[in-house]
Amino acid sequence: PTHWSGLRAEDRWTEANSGGTPLKGTAEAFSEWAKNPQWVVDLVAPSANFFVSLGQEDGRILPGTKYPFEENIHPVCLGIYKLTGNEKRLVKFDGNRKVVISAIKEYREVSVRAQLEKGRYVIVPSTKDKGLVGKYYLSVYFDLSLIHI
């Protein structure tokens, strides 16, 4: 595409909103996952290419941290899920709603790409395990102007 727009946000996982991933496959894990931050995207254009990046603080610039920066760099993943009707968030993990999800990685940054059709979606950044805390940065880029989002 010749034109990309983007939005960036800074937020934190706290004890209250760090729900982890649904890896255990239990009803409890699916419900806990829904505590993760959920960023709603309303796409009003017929379709768009999206690139979403989840970054964590760079441990190299924080005083007193040592490689591999385990205090600051958590195993994380990032997913985009389809919402229906007037939903504003998912109340539990539902694999049938998944559009795309990254692998769980203990990297400073993970990302996903997706071609989305008109509709409402939610972007969910999560730590692998519930209760992990720390700052994160969410960057969302799309091949449309902002008026279509």
Side-chain angles (χ1 to χ4, degrees):
T2 58
H3 177 72
W4 284 81
S5 299
L7 299 168
R8 299 191 71 198
E10 177 182 311
D11 200 3
R12 296 190 68 79
W13 287 293
T14 65
E15 296 249 352
N17 75 359
S18 177
T21 56
L23 286 176
K24 294 179 182 171
T26 63
E28 179 184 1
F30 289 3
S31 292
E32 287 291 320
W33 173 87
K35 292 179 180 177
N36 286 307
Q38 297 188 31
W39 298 80
V40 175
V41 174
D42 283 312
L43 178 59
V44 296
S47 68
N49 290 299
F50 275 72
F51 176 82
V52 183
S53 169
L54 170 62
Q56 300 180 72
E57 283 194 293
D58 189 341
R60 297 173 297 180
I61 62 171
L62 299 171
T65 59
K66 295 182 182 175
Y67 181 83
F69 316 113
E70 293 171 338
E71 308 84 32
N72 305 93
I73 305 293
H74 302 303
V76 296
C77 77
L78 173 65
I80 302 175
Y81 303 84
K82 181 80 171 123
L83 294 176
T84 58
N86 291 325
E87 283 182 311
K88 302 245 187 276
R89 62 184 294 114
L90 293 173
V91 296
K92 67 178 182 177
F93 176 79
D94 181 351
N96 293 323
R97 306 275 199 104
K98 176 187 74 170
V99 175
V100 63
I101 190 167
S102 72
I104 298 170
K105 295 182 179 180
E106 193 166 356
Y107 290 171
R108 188 172 161 259
E109 188 265 342
V110 296
S111 60
V112 294
R113 281 183 170 267
Q115 170 78 31
L116 301 181
E117 303 301 318
K118 182 177 181 175
R120 178 173 279 183
Y121 299 86
V122 66
I123 300 169
V124 182
S126 64
T127 58
K128 179 182 176 189
D129 300 312
K130 73 178 186 175
L132 294 176
V133 299
K135 188 184 293 187
Y136 71 85
Y137 306 92
L138 189 67
S139 302
V140 182
Y141 302 99
F142 35 89
D143 63 349
L144 299 168
S145 68
L146 285 173
I147 63 169
H148 298 291
I149 302 296

